[in-house]
């Protein structure tokens, strides 16, 4: 049962949008939201909304919650607007926020929701917005705790358990999501013809999904490579990245292309499985496409 509220949900949603605008690129507002634990309260409300999604859904329409979407947008905006910490205390505050997000089960709930997407969602405005904000929240959370270091330094300790939670959720189910959005009719036949143009919203979601995988690599490269190298994920990864490179060779999508090339590199670096995949027939086709730019 959805929790009862005193005010209409539209009032809460509008309030979220106002706070989001107040936090956008405003360090002082974001500092206040973090240090006063206001962001922790927003996580509590988000958890409550995510738990109630779909309880009253009796149709085949994928349920989406406008308030939960606005809350995720607010959290993501505040996180990316907070500059790198200058003190140990401030560093701990950032870590505590991400830890609380993980402990409240937000990653698992988003994974379960995204797993419901089995076909393209273009034209479903609320659903597209929900998916985009879900991925943006995870990107912001990962960036918030990433420490600039060499990828060759080995596995780092993640006190927030975000990397572990993403591993257990199969990287939030991003690959099945992208397969449903891009290749719902199966692997394409590559040829001289161009792939059909994708809706801008689908390109946007795909770029955010690739960006999240790249941020996970920067957080814990071993987790990314291990998850992408599993039997089912490896094939989906080859199909999705191959299709994206083919699409970008026919349609101008510089941001998406940049994220895709970076992700392919992360999967291959110091990883025999990723390197072997790039030497197989489909992998060689990807390498040829990348050499064309």
């Amino acid at each position: 049962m959805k929790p009862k509220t005193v005010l209409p949900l539209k009032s809460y949603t509008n309030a979220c949008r106002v706070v989001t605008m107040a936090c956008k690129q405003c360090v002082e507002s974001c500092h206040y939201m973090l240090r006063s634990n206001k962001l922790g309260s927003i996580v509590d409300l988000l958890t409550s909304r995510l738990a109630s999604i779909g309880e009253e859904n009796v149709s085949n329409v994928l349920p989406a919650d406008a308030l939960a979407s606005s809350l995720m947008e607010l959290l993501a905006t505040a996180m990316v607007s907070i500059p790198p910490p200058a003190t140990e205390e401030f560093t701990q505050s950032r870590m505590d926020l991400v830890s609380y997000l993980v402990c409240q089960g937000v990653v698992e709930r988003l994974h379960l929701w995204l797993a419901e997407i089995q076909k393209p969602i273009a034209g479903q405005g609320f659903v597209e917005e929900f998916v985009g904000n879900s991925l943006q929240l995870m990107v912001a959370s990962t960036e918030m705790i990433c420490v600039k270091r060499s990828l060759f330094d080995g596995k780092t300790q993640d006190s927030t358990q975000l990397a572990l939670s993403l591993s257990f959720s199969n990287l939030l189910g991003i690959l099945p999501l992208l397969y449903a959005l891009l290749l719902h009719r199966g692997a394409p036949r590559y040829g001289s013809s161009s792939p059909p143009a994708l809706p801008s919203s689908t390109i946007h979601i795909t770029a955010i999904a690739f960006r999240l995988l790249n941020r996970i690599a920067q957080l814990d490269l071993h987790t990314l490579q291990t998850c992408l190298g599993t039997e089912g994920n490896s094939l989906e990864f080859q199909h999705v990245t191959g299709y994206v490179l083919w699409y970008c060779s026919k349609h101008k999508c510089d941001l998406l292309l940049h994220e895709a090339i970076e992700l392919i590199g992360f999967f291959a670096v110091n990883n025999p499985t990723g390197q072997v995949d790039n030497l197989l027939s489909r992998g060689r086709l990807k390498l040829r496409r990348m050499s064309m730019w």
Side-chain angles (χ1 to χ4, degrees):
M1 180 180 297
K2 288 193 174 185
K4 295 181 178 180
T5 58
V6 177
L7 297 174
L9 289 181
K10 187 175 182 180
S11 298
Y12 289 101
T13 303
N14 289 337
C16 282
R17 290 171 179 166
V18 171
V19 179
T20 299
M21 289 188 289
C23 289
K24 191 171 185 179
Q25 297 180 347
C26 181
V27 176
E28 292 77 10
S29 296
C30 295
H31 275 190
Y32 169 75
M33 294 290 290
L34 178 65
R35 300 299 291 272
S36 64
N37 201 34
K38 295 290 190 300
L39 294 180
S41 299
I42 292 172
V43 172
D44 289 334
L45 182 54
L46 172 61
T47 304
S48 175
R49 297 305 303 178
L50 291 177
S52 66
I53 289 180
E55 290 184 354
E56 300 174 5
N57 185 54
V58 294
S59 65
N60 292 324
V61 178
L62 191 67
D65 187 278
L67 177 55
S69 182
S70 296
L71 290 167
M72 289 189 289
E73 182 182 12
L74 168 55
L75 284 169
T77 300
M79 286 178 171
V80 300
S81 300
I82 297 175
T87 64
E88 183 176 346
E89 180 184 0
F90 192 47
T91 300
Q92 190 60 48
S93 296
R94 293 158 60 100
M95 293 292 185
D96 289 345
L97 176 62
V98 178
S99 295
Y100 190 58
L101 195 76
V102 172
C103 290
Q104 288 292 85
V106 172
V107 176
E108 289 80 4
R109 293 188 184 278
L110 291 179
H111 171 228
L112 292 174
W113 190 89
L114 293 174
E116 296 293 323
I117 299 177
Q118 304 294 328
K119 59 183 180 180
I121 56 176
Q124 303 179 46
F126 284 118
V127 175
E128 291 176 316
E129 182 181 2
F130 191 96
V131 173
N133 287 334
S134 300
L135 297 175
Q136 287 282 26
L137 174 59
M138 290 297 101
V139 170
S141 300
T142 307
E143 289 179 344
M144 197 174 195
I145 61 174
C146 270
V147 178
K148 290 185 178 181
R149 63 184 182 87
S150 171
L151 292 175
F152 306 103
D153 289 343
K155 193 172 182 180
T156 58
Q157 294 295 325
D158 175 22
S159 61
T160 68
Q161 300 299 304
L162 177 60
L164 184 62
S165 185
L166 288 168
S167 176
F168 284 158
S169 67
N170 193 25
L171 301 177
L172 210 66
I174 287 179
L175 287 178
L177 169 67
L178 293 178
Y179 205 92
L181 297 182
L182 303 174
L183 300 169
H184 59 287
R185 294 180 180 176
R189 294 182 178 274
Y190 300 103
S192 58
S193 61
S194 298
L198 294 170
S200 58
S201 58
T202 300
I203 296 175
H204 177 66
I205 289 173
T206 304
I208 299 174
F210 277 12
R211 186 177 306 127
L212 174 56
L213 293 176
N214 287 327
R215 296 302 174 269
I216 294 173
Q218 293 170 350
L219 175 65
D220 191 330
L221 184 62
H222 176 75
T223 292
L224 176 86
Q225 293 178 341
T226 300
C227 291
L228 292 184
T230 59
E231 185 174 352
N233 284 347
S234 179
L235 184 59
E236 287 186 333
F237 178 72
Q238 293 298 330
H239 282 310
V240 168
T241 52
Y243 178 81
V244 168
L245 290 178
W246 179 47
Y247 184 88
C248 291
S249 70
K250 305 295 183 179
H251 303 272
K252 186 174 177 59
C253 299
D254 291 345
L255 178 61
L256 178 58
L257 175 63
H258 173 80
E259 297 290 351
I261 292 176
E262 187 175 9
L263 178 58
I264 293 170
F266 277 135
F267 184 48
V269 64
N270 274 6
N271 180 26
T273 300
Q275 294 166 7
V276 168
D277 284 347
N278 282 334
L279 294 177
L280 298 177
S281 58
R282 193 173 300 277
R284 290 199 300 271
L285 181 61
K286 289 194 302 182
L287 293 177
R288 284 200 299 271
R289 287 204 177 94
M290 285 191 288
S291 67
M292 293 168 58
W293 283 284

